[in-house]
Amino acid sequence: SEFITMSVDKIDLEALRVVEPIDEIIDLEQFKINPNDKLIEPVPILSVKERYNYISLMNEGNISLVQGAAKSRKTTLLKSIWEAIITGENNKLISNYNRRKIAVFDTEQSKYYCQKAVMVIKSMTGVDIDYFKIVGTSNTLKMKIVEKYLELNPDVGFITLDNIVHFVTDFNNQAEATNIIQWEQGLVDKYNTHICNVLHENSSGESTKAKGHLGTLLVNACDTIIRIEKDKSDKSKSIVSPKEMRGLEFNPFHLEMDMQGIPYLSDIPEDYNKKITRY
């Protein structure tokens, strides 16, 4: 798209500025739920393949969270998620979603690793995804870049913010955390897309809590919270599990990757931990 070739410093920030009305007239009817309206279920984007059925994982018009400790392979899991949405299926994930275009906004990695991720996804899917390196830009500019992209690409049904902590100055500031989540909720409502957030867990002790007030509020707001951790029995693998789900929970599964960084998802055998302990 046109925006992909634009550099950050060429974006017209003034044109993106939102002006609040001075005397806004509130129409309560636009917020009121009518019980007589037809009940429309959310459009599923991605599901986990279980033995006998599919467990819905992410839906259109919602937000989700992938959390885990540093180096737990969160980005590797995301590659599998992106692959399934673009191609329709992999070993554990399936998607019948008709909006296959996705976008990634990376706030942590250098250009080298961002480009490497794009190349891996292309080798997995044959598609050049829209991947943006927004490291070092201000929080306000990060938000404006995401908004501008969605404005220019209404066909995008799934975006990833990796890592959402860099959209705020202080992840323990409740006002900032509230504002960023309200911003996301406004975007998914306006553009009917899905926002998948990535966030580290607190590093102290054995805590599995997502980082700070931001993590607490995200957990409350998200329909799906996925946790990934390294398998204590085999550090070459990670375990992907449901931390919080509004619907049915899927069974935990394994994530591995080869020397080229290609991820592979597989079921965890029932006797897996016993076999590892025995040997």
Side-chain angles (χ1 to χ4, degrees):
S1 67
E2 175 188 353
F3 176 70
I4 298 174
T5 62
M6 297 169 62
S7 63
V8 169
D9 59 349
K10 289 184 180 178
I11 296 175
D12 186 353
L13 298 184
E14 199 60 40
L16 295 172
R17 196 178 306 281
V18 176
V19 179
E20 295 292 338
I22 298 174
D23 295 315
E24 183 178 6
I25 298 175
I26 298 175
D27 178 11
L28 293 178
E29 290 301 317
Q30 67 175 313
F31 302 101
K32 186 177 180 180
I33 296 296
N34 186 345
N36 298 315
D37 287 344
K38 181 180 178 181
L39 187 62
I40 302 175
E41 293 188 7
V43 177
I45 295 177
L46 190 68
S47 299
V48 178
K49 293 189 284 189
E50 297 283 339
R51 181 173 296 179
Y52 301 110
N53 60 349
Y54 298 154
I55 306 296
S56 180
L57 196 61
M58 296 171 181
N59 297 318
E60 191 177 70
N62 288 321
I63 61 177
S64 61
L65 173 64
V66 173
Q67 69 169 76
K71 312 306 179 189
S72 57
R73 303 188 180 98
K74 295 184 290 297
T75 302
T76 307
L77 172 61
L78 288 169
K79 291 173 185 174
S80 281
I81 290 174
W82 302 334
E83 175 196 28
I85 294 173
I86 294 170
T87 66
E89 186 173 17
N90 59 31
N91 299 79
K92 283 296 297 177
L93 305 175
I94 189 165
S95 174
N96 294 315
Y97 195 44
N98 62 354
R99 298 162 73 189
R100 299 290 185 187
K101 189 174 181 180
I102 68 169
V104 182
F105 297 88
D106 194 310
T107 69
E108 290 191 320
Q109 299 188 105
S110 67
K111 183 178 179 180
Y112 171 83
Y113 288 105
C114 288
Q115 188 171 353
K116 196 171 181 180
V118 173
M119 293 171 68
V120 168
I121 291 301
K122 184 168 185 177
S123 70
M124 295 168 67
T125 66
V127 173
D128 290 321
I129 65 171
D130 291 347
Y131 197 113
F132 299 92
K133 182 185 80 69
I134 54 176
V135 179
T137 60
S138 69
N139 299 335
T140 302
L141 184 54
K142 286 183 179 76
M143 295 166 69
K144 291 183 185 300
I145 291 171
V146 174
E147 291 179 41
K148 187 64 176 179
Y149 177 81
L150 287 172
E151 177 189 328
L152 295 174
N153 297 272
D155 56 331
V156 170
F158 189 92
I159 70 171
T160 301
L161 306 183
D162 184 8
N163 185 310
I164 187 59
V165 75
H166 298 297
F167 279 75
V168 298
T169 304
D170 179 3
F171 55 79
N172 273 320
N173 185 299
Q174 194 156 1
E176 262 199 295
T178 299
N179 287 339
I180 201 71
I181 292 169
Q182 288 178 342
W183 169 72
E184 286 193 16
Q185 290 170 329
L187 289 183
V188 299
D189 184 60
K190 181 176 181 179
Y191 296 102
N192 198 30
T193 189
H194 182 99
I195 296 179
C196 177
N197 297 277
V198 181
L199 186 63
H200 291 305
E201 292 177 344
N202 288 332
S203 56
S204 57
E206 295 297 318
S207 173
T208 61
K209 181 181 177 297
K211 209 170 187 66
H213 282 301
L214 177 60
T216 299
L217 294 181
L218 264 176
V219 167
N220 292 336
C222 290
D223 276 5
T224 300
I225 298 94
I226 301 171
R227 182 167 189 262
I228 182 167
E229 61 178 326
K230 284 192 177 178
D231 189 334
K232 295 181 176 62
S233 300
D234 183 351
K235 294 298 177 65
S236 69
K237 301 177 180 180
S238 292
I239 297 175
V240 181
S241 59
K243 186 169 175 61
E244 301 285 347
M245 304 275 290
R246 291 203 194 278
L248 295 175
E249 293 190 352
F250 61 88
N251 293 318
F253 55 84
H254 266 147
L255 177 147
E256 304 174 65
M257 65 177 177
D258 63 20
M259 296 299 291
Q260 285 71 45
I262 305 294
Y264 180 83
L265 307 178
S266 60
D267 291 323
I268 300 176
E270 293 182 6
D271 60 347
Y272 174 77
N273 289 323
K274 292 180 182 179
K275 286 183 178 179
I276 294 293
T277 303
R278 189 181 305 134
Y279 295 104

